[in-house]
Amino acid sequence: MALLATATTTLLLAISAVSGLNLPSAATAILAILAPLAGYGLVQRERRAPAPLIDLRLLRIPALAGGLVGALCGYLVLFGPLVLVPVVLTDRGTSPLHAGLVLTALPGGFALAASGAGAVLPDRWSDRRRYALGAVTCTMALAAALAVPLSAPWLIPPMAMLGLGLGVYTPTNNTTIMSAIPAHASGTGGGLVNMTRGLGTALGVAMVTLAVHLAAGATGPRLAIVGLTAASLLLFTPLLTPSRGMRNIGTENSARC
């Protein structure tokens, strides 16, 4: 537990320091060194432990490993815009209330798709089709955000489209992950999913903050969207796993968000 906490905390603190957190240079360097060392120590410890905190053998299950990558990138892509859009709009003179209303298109689209996709999409659609639809929609939405002006009216359609894509993708991914976990390791698997969500959320915030901090003017937000678009390509990772690692679960996907 100590190695896990050290690895994740020092990594995020190092990214935050590069993104503008007021830390001495020596402290930043120490954090950057500690993160990989703690990560390496964690892997070695878990390989030898008779009852590991994280059973690394679970990551050899293709559907589980691919699903965890998808979960991390899904939450990264979700929370990145939640930080970026208000910053961009308020910097251009938009009121916080107006910026918040524009941003509502993202969680609104997510809620609509997560609760209604099961009733709209054909029951015969496999998980792969649902994965593909969600991933393609997310990538197209972020590509559209790159092409339009970063102002209130123009950002509403891409944010709504991104929310719809994530609302289709995330329930499918969560269900596939839990289906791939052996029954005896369901608690560990659930913990892995939650930890991946938390890391994805933190990395989404860190990526956007880093891009805005490093590049001045309008370049920073554009750079952040490029990074989010690149991360959205990793949403296709579960599609690279063998098809036998997935079940056709139909409308029950919409129950897991």
Side-chain angles (χ1 to χ4, degrees), residues 2 25-26 29 36 52 57 66 73-74 95-96 131-132 143 154 157 164 167 171 174 186 194 196 234 237 247:
S25 299
R57 293 173 297 178
C73 292
S95 69
Y131 266 125
W154 291 96
L164 289 170
N174 289 349
S186 57
N194 286 323
T196 304
L234 293 177
T237 302
R247 295 188 303 140

Side-chain angles (χ1 to χ4, degrees), residues 167-254:
V168 173
Y169 183 92
T170 303
T172 303
N173 191 47
N174 289 349
T175 305
T176 301
I177 290 173
M178 296 309 296
S179 299
I181 297 171
H184 71 275
S186 57
T188 300
L192 283 172
V193 173
N194 286 323
M195 185 180 73
T196 304
R197 289 175 181 170
L199 286 174
T201 299
L203 289 174
V205 174
M207 174 186 289
V208 167
T209 307
L210 178 61
V212 173
H213 177 73
L214 292 180
T219 305
R222 293 289 182 185
L223 181 61
I225 298 175
V226 169
L228 293 172
T229 305
S232 73
L233 296 177
L234 293 177
L235 294 176
F236 292 92
T237 302
L239 292 170
L240 303 178
T241 62
S243 58
R244 64 178 179 275
M246 295 185 181
R247 295 188 303 140
N248 295 340
I249 52 176
T251 57
E252 72 180 67
N253 277 337
S254 60

Side-chain angles (χ1 to χ4, degrees), residues 2-242:
L3 287 168
L4 175 61
T6 301
T8 54
T9 303
T10 52
L11 172 63
L12 293 173
L13 281 174
I15 296 174
S16 297
V18 178
S19 304
L21 182 65
N22 188 18
L23 287 177
S25 299
T28 303
I30 292 172
L31 290 170
I33 294 171
L34 274 179
L37 288 178
Y40 178 78
L42 174 65
V43 171
Q44 297 304 312
R45 167 65 181 167
E46 297 301 80
R47 284 177 174 174
R48 296 194 302 267
L53 180 66
I54 301 174
D55 190 347
L56 299 179
R57 293 173 297 178
L58 292 175
L59 300 181
R60 299 175 187 174
I61 302 173
L64 177 58
L68 290 175
V69 172
L72 185 144
C73 292
Y75 279 84
L76 188 157
V77 167
L78 172 61
F79 278 86
L82 292 178
V83 174
L84 179 64
V85 171
V87 170
V88 170
L89 294 181
T90 53
D91 282 351
R92 298 191 174 201
T94 303
S95 69
L97 177 60
H98 194 185
L101 290 174
V102 171
L103 190 59
T104 302
L106 174 54
F110 186 100
L112 180 63
S115 60
V120 175
L121 297 178
D123 290 347
R124 66 180 181 275
W125 271 30
S126 66
D127 284 355
R128 287 185 175 274
R129 284 192 176 185
R130 295 168 187 265
Y131 266 125
L133 176 62
V136 168
T137 303
C138 291
T139 303
M140 290 178 61
L142 290 167
L146 272 175
V148 301
L150 299 181
S151 57
W154 291 96
L155 283 174
I156 294 176
M159 291 300 101
M161 186 177 176
L162 179 60
L164 289 170
L166 288 170
V168 173
Y169 183 92
T170 303
T172 303
N173 191 47
N174 289 349
T175 305
T176 301
I177 290 173
M178 296 309 296
S179 299
I181 297 171
H184 71 275
S186 57
T188 300
L192 283 172
V193 173
N194 286 323
M195 185 180 73
T196 304
R197 289 175 181 170
L199 286 174
T201 299
L203 289 174
V205 174
M207 174 186 289
V208 167
T209 307
L210 178 61
V212 173
H213 177 73
L214 292 180
T219 305
R222 293 289 182 185
L223 181 61
I225 298 175
V226 169
L228 293 172
T229 305
S232 73
L233 296 177
L234 293 177
L235 294 176
F236 292 92
T237 302
L239 292 170
L240 303 178
T241 62

